[in-house]
Amino acid sequence: MADRPSSGEIFGVPYNFERPSLGRMLSAYWQPGEEMLVEKPFGIGYTLNLANWRSWIVLAVVAALLAQENRSGDEAGEADEEPVEVVVD
């Protein structure tokens, strides 16, 4: 059986299944001078480059959307506790 490569690309999407080290993990998420998306240190695809200011905007938008969802979920739960009158003809 042929040895399979532990890193490469499939249909233009990078993959890397080499055992990650702490240095490689840290350097993968902080790459000054690179674009917003960089290759993952382990796994398939891309991840955010935290050295790029656009990544912080994406994280802020996601945090705001999650906070809004949690607030609306709490308000909907309170409305369900009120009694509802059902009239059947």
Side-chain angles (χ1 to χ4, degrees):
M1 189 161 143
D3 290 329
R4 294 183 182 158
S6 59
S7 64
E9 283 191 11
I10 297 177
F11 302 114
V13 179
Y15 68 91
N16 188 353
F17 294 113
E18 296 173 3
R19 185 180 196 118
S21 65
L22 182 61
R24 196 173 87 194
M25 293 290 286
L26 293 176
S27 67
Y29 293 106
W30 191 266
Q31 296 182 12
E34 294 292 324
E35 295 295 320
M36 182 176 77
L37 295 176
V38 293
E39 293 181 12
K40 281 184 156 189
F42 182 79
I44 301 171
Y46 297 94
T47 189
L48 290 176
N49 178 11
L50 297 178
N52 191 308
W53 61 272
R54 291 178 186 102
S55 299
W56 292 100
I57 292 174
V58 169
L59 291 174
V61 168
V62 168
L65 290 173
L66 287 174
Q68 181 181 6
E69 182 180 349
N70 287 339
R71 279 194 305 257
S72 66
D74 294 341
E75 293 170 4
E78 294 171 1
D80 292 341
E81 296 174 4
E82 297 177 10
V84 177
E85 182 179 341
V86 178
V87 178
V88 180
D89 288 331

